[in-house]
Amino acid sequence: MKRMLRGMLAFTLLLEGSLALAAGAPVFETRLDNGLKVLVMEDRRAPTAVQMVWYRVGSVDEVNGTTGVAHALEHMMFKGTPKVGAGEFSKRVAAAGGRDNAFTNRDYTAYFQQIPKERLRDMMALEADRMRHLTLAPAEFAKEIKVVMEERRLRTDDQPTALLSEGLNSVAFQASPYRVPVIGWMDDLEHMTATDLRAFYDRWYVPNNATLVVVGDVDHQQVVRWAKETYGLLKARPLPVRKPQDEPVQAGIRRLTVKAPAELPSVLLAWKAPKITGMDAKAMANDADSYALDVLAALLDGYDGARLNTRLVKESRIAQDVGVGYDNVGRGPALFMVQATPAPGKTPAEVEAALRAEIARIANEGVKDEELVRARAQMLAAQVYKRDSMFAQAMEMGELETVGLGWRATDLMIERLKAVTAADVARVAKAYFGDDTLTVGVLDPQPLKDRPAAPPPSGMLH
Amino acid sequence: MSVSLAVPRHFASPAIGRAFSRVLGRALVPAFFGLVAAGLALPAAAGPRIDTWTAPSGAKVLFVESHVLPVVDVQVDFAAGSAYAPAGKAGVAGLTRGLLSQGAGNLSEQAIADRLADLGAQLGGGVDPDRASLSLRTLSDAPTRDGALAVLRTVLAAPAFPADVVARERDRAVAALKESLTRPETLASRAFWQNLYGDHPYGRQATPESIAALTRDDLAAYWKAHYTARRATVTLVGDLTQAQAEAVAQDLTAGLPAEAANGGASLALPAVTPPKATTVAVAHPAAQSHLFIGSPTFKRGDPDFFPLVVGNYVLGGGGFVSRLMKEVREKRGYAYSVYSYFLPLKEEGPFQIGLQTKRDQAGAALKVVRDTLAEFIAKGPTESELQAAKDNLVGGFPLRLDSNRKLLDQVATIGFYGLPLDWLDRYTERVKAVTVTQIKDAFARHVQDARLVTVEVATDLPDAQAGAAR
């Protein structure tokens, strides 16, 4: 969990910097007549390219009874069209020397291929084909949904901290579809049909709901020509009205316990927090707290010597590990999350109190300027490091564009983050960490019932 | 496969890790895959220009000059992996590596962390069976670069092993291990390596007891004997001139501990004795069974490398287009993740097939895997499968080298294992030269039924009900 939350933060910072690619590769933006947004970054360091297609549809667009349909559809996107048979898509990518995959999140679904640059146009033709012509054969679906259920067992059902986080989301959110796990509830998967996927596909997989991102050793005019020849042939269709489903204000602490086989407990605290709402002047002014919370997250857990790790893991040794996650870029509401594993012999209650005391300390005593300077240095270096990966750059542009902030947001965000002051950080530490908007999840570790009574023979577990 | 990025890798990328941590991908490959791919996947046209020399300190150096980004990446690998742990000291390699950056010279652990963060530098690394590694990524402007390298030099040459920090990290390591021993994937992996390698150092594993017994002196002694220039390989990639690279490499390694008068700790590892075919079952209440099949196979530098790697692409290495994926996942929906790989090491590293499946279908899934493997060993790939494998490995060669990070991984592997410097340059021609006959021949010799170990964790198969190793 720590690794996950730490990782999240690193990318958040990264996200905030970026197309400070002022010094980096240029980005070209176009919109085709059918509404497809096209973003091309010419990065000529190697003879390769990455294509991604991002759909603005994810689990947040699902309805009760068919949770997990966005992700199940993502799996079925590899199961063929009239032109390209089941399994043929990946075969063609492989034959081109490429690698392909896809991912689904609450806010979006995206598909990508990393290829030698000569094969880009072929990939665009393939990707455009399945944007509209998916077969969705029931026989293929019957097999693939079993794969998805295995995926759920692997990632969630047998993972204690994943169960905790799934449970916490479903308690912290009541109206927002963020309450539902991206992979879907098992019972919904068991009752899902190819028809459910067909309806979802027809509704959301249209060029005017998608962004094409290409990064690599390419010519942007050529890429746009190819986009017109491939994606350009598809027709725009009206999108359904998206209901806001705003989360009501939480008024009172919520607590949950999850029991699962484990050795140590885990504590997960989640406060309702603001997110970044836009990039225009008015939004930028309104979002001041969100930027300050981002910096707070960095001061709490931005590197090995940050406050939580130093105080709780190294000094008081109350925690085995700690982590902070604050994802303020999304279509739905944001949570400021703090996680810790109590050290052996320490209780979840003690750890919860210690975590909250650290935030209170910032609220009461403020932070040092040197901490802010340090967080900025890390953020700015990350902007440069990011340019080492075409994939990471494509991810960033695609995500920002798809959640509605626009790919240019990074430059503006980093400017805002640089402007955050010690007083701002203390202000948000005071404002957002009360009881009333808090949800606390605790993993209650259970013995492995099937564990052999005697220690395993030394020949087995040395 | 995207999910491999979510799995902590040997040298994880936090950026990508975050992106995928809250995202579901379409397939999962094991953590080791990245490492393997690094070794197995060096195909292509021509590799980068690699300069190599021995620093006055005695350390071997490899350097790839690239001014594309204002960044320098450094990796220092030592023959100090877990296999070099003295008998009874399992766990010492990992704990020693971890402690290096937690107090060194006149810098406290807080000062080390603060200084690197102030510079925006990132220190990473880890331990595998053969290697203990430290990696540093820094901006290349002189004050930043020199400041970051000075920290790395101190960490390498003057770790303090503060007693209180050692005690704390030992306790944390014990707790983390106990936690991971509740996880079916950990139990499966440990049983796999243990039963492949028995008493060979590759089979020895840290236990809560072995870690708890480690002392500060054990760590200091391990560092002194194993973090010497003779055991070090320095790999530099990025925005440096040749002269700067020479100075950096010498500077980083000049202060390493001196070799003992008797020649120091051995670089050699014992020979691997192949196991007898066996099935090991470990009980666990998980919803899914974790199933592994494998055996020790070949060393780095073995001429069978190319037939095995190209063949494995067809069997279970080629992601969505492999036979295992087709048979187990695509046709039957038995698993989300199924794969095979070779991990060549200093001594015979493992061949491994792995999958997870709902426990009531573990027997059926295992049968499919065994049949697929037997068929492949008997007949090898078809000509068209072989061509598809070559198309991917040859065509995709540039993807292996299109970032400094990837170059660093590749070149460090070449350096540490002493592979020829034209390894990358000749990769694609060697892939292209592989024949069906060579693959059949190599698999028949390296993947023998009589040596295959099967590990079943969390199954209801008869073996599992016994709840013990056989």
Side-chain angles (χ1 to χ4, degrees), chain A residues 408-446:
Chain A
R408 285 186 181 84
T410 0
D411 275 349
L412 299 166
M413 291 164 113
I414 208 153
E415 286 312 310
R416 288 307 310 263
L417 285 166
K418 277 156 68 179
V420 169
T421 66
D424 293 332
V425 175
R427 182 187 76 242
V428 296
K430 208 169 283 178
Y432 290 98
F433 297 89
D435 269 3
D436 287 354
T437 57
L438 171 63
T439 305
V440 181
V442 173
L443 173 70
D444 180 3
Q446 303 297 301

Side-chain angles (χ1 to χ4, degrees), chain A residues 67-68 152 166-167 170 179-181 183-190:
Chain A
T67 64
R152 190 188 149 88
E166 181 179 270
S170 68
R179 71 183 180 278
V180 162
I183 199 158
W185 300 113
M186 189 61 108
D187 191 61
D188 286 354
L189 298 179
E190 280 164 358

Side-chain angles (χ1 to χ4, degrees), chain A residues 2-4 7-12 14-15 45-49 71 74-75 78-79 87 90-91 93-106 108 112 114-116 140 143-144 146-147 150-151 153-155 157-160 182-183 261-264 303-306 309-310 313-314 317 319-321 327 329 341 344 370 373-374 377-378 381-382 384-385 387-392 395 399 448-452 457-462, chain B residues 1-3 5 8 12 14-16 18-28 66 68-71 73 102 109-110 113-114 117-122 137-139 164 167-168 171-172 175-176 178-179 181-183 185 187 190-191 194-195 199 203-207 280-288 290 313 320-321 326 329-337 356-359 361 391-392 395-396 398-400 402-406 467-469:
Chain A
K2 166 176 177 177
R3 193 185 296 266
M4 179 189 103
M8 277 166 80
L9 180 70
F11 190 82
T12 305
L14 201 87
L15 198 68
R45 61 174 309 185
T48 60
H71 172 250
E74 177 229 294
H75 275 238
F78 294 83
K79 295 299 179 177
S90 292
K91 220 183 255 181
V93 177
R99 308 164 195 173
D100 67 327
N101 215 323
F103 44 89
T104 306
N105 189 2
R106 300 185 298 198
Y108 50 74
F112 68 85
Q114 297 165 278
I115 58 263
E140 290 291 340
K143 289 184 290 182
E144 195 62 25
K146 289 186 185 159
V147 172
E150 293 295 348
E151 185 177 357
R153 289 182 190 105
L154 182 67
R155 291 178 183 283
D157 296 345
D158 282 343
Q159 303 287 349
V182 174
I183 199 158
E263 184 76 20
L264 295 172
Y303 72 111
D304 274 346
N309 203 41
T310 294
V313 178
K314 295 178 178 174
R317 300 187 56 179
Q320 166 77 3
D321 54 50
D327 191 359
V329 170
T341 305
E370 67 183 54
V373 171
R374 185 170 294 139
Q378 292 173 270
V384 179
Y385 301 150
R387 287 161 50 200
D388 195 35
S389 166
M390 295 185 196
F391 190 87
M395 280 289 298
E399 178 170 29
L448 274 65
K449 284 195 215 84
D450 289 359
R451 185 151 46 176
S458 63
M460 190 177 68
L461 297 173
H462 195 79
Chain B
M1 281 175 291
S2 69
V3 184
L5 301 169
I16 304 285
R18 176 268 187 181
F20 284 85
S21 62
R22 62 206 170 88
V23 166
L24 301 170
R26 189 174 151 237
L28 183 74
S66 166
V68 173
L69 297 175
V71 173
D73 282 288
Q102 293 176 299
E109 58 176 329
Q110 186 71 36
D114 286 351
D118 285 339
L119 296 165
Q122 298 173 345
R137 168 164 271 199
T138 175
L139 299 175
D164 55 335
R168 182 193 76 213
D171 288 353
R172 288 184 65 220
K178 283 185 177 169
E179 184 68 58
L181 289 174
T182 69
R183 314 292 312 138
E185 61 273 17
L187 297 176
R190 289 171 67 96
Q194 170 56 34
N195 283 277
D199 286 335
R204 288 187 212 143
Q205 288 170 42
T207 61
V280 182
V282 183
H284 190 281
Q288 273 187 324
H290 291 246
Y313 176 91
F320 296 118
V321 298
K326 216 171 294 173
R329 174 169 157 158
E330 309 280 321
K331 282 194 190 165
R332 296 174 177 84
Y334 279 166
Y336 174 64
S337 163
Q356 307 85 27
T357 191
K358 187 163 67 159
R359 57 194 296 157
Q361 63 199 19
D391 287 348
N392 183 265
L399 289 170
R400 319 285 187 180
D402 64 0
S403 73
N404 288 6
R405 184 81 79 184
K406 292 180 190 176

Side-chain angles (χ1 to χ4, degrees), chain A residues 312-331:
Chain A
L312 271 58
V313 178
K314 295 178 178 174
E315 290 175 8
S316 74
R317 300 187 56 179
I318 197 170
Q320 166 77 3
D321 54 50
V322 294
V324 170
Y326 174 50
D327 191 359
N328 58 356
V329 170
R331 291 166 54 195

Side-chain angles (χ1 to χ4, degrees), chain A residues 12-151:
Chain A
T12 305
L13 288 171
L14 201 87
L15 198 68
E16 264 104 53
S18 108
L19 309 177
L21 295 176
V27 179
F28 301 90
E29 174 177 354
T30 321
R31 194 183 282 280
L32 302 191
D33 292 343
N34 61 13
L36 180 74
K37 171 74 69 80
V38 182
L39 301 176
V40 185
M41 177 187 282
E42 295 184 354
D43 181 341
R44 302 192 181 280
R45 61 174 309 185
T48 60
V50 54
Q51 165 178 245
M52 293 185 173
V53 169
W54 291 70
Y55 294 94
R56 186 177 161 88
V57 64
S59 62
V60 73
D61 302 294
E62 295 168 348
V63 296
N64 278 354
T66 51
T67 64
V69 70
H71 172 250
L73 174 59
E74 177 229 294
H75 275 238
M76 287 302 289
M77 282 283 278
F78 294 83
K79 295 299 179 177
T81 66
K83 270 194 207 159
V84 180
E88 186 64 22
F89 191 101
S90 292
K91 220 183 255 181
R92 292 201 196 175
V93 177
R99 308 164 195 173
D100 67 327
N101 215 323
F103 44 89
T104 306
N105 189 2
R106 300 185 298 198
D107 297 334
Y108 50 74
T109 311
Y111 301 82
F112 68 85
Q113 301 85 37
Q114 297 165 278
I115 58 263
K117 63 173 181 170
E118 296 81 11
R119 309 307 290 270
L120 176 61
R121 194 190 180 285
D122 299 343
M123 299 301 114
M124 294 172 73
L126 275 173
E127 197 63 83
D129 177 47
R130 68 177 174 181
M131 184 177 279
R132 179 71 290 248
H133 303 295
L134 199 60
T135 303
L136 283 171
E140 290 291 340
F141 173 77
K143 289 184 290 182
E144 195 62 25
I145 196 67
K146 289 186 185 159
V147 172
V148 175
M149 290 188 240
E150 293 295 348
E151 185 177 357

Side-chain angles (χ1 to χ4, degrees), chain A residues 337-353:
Chain A
M337 298 170 81
V338 181
Q339 180 273 342
T341 305
K346 305 293 180 184
T347 67
E350 288 173 293
V351 170
E352 178 186 332

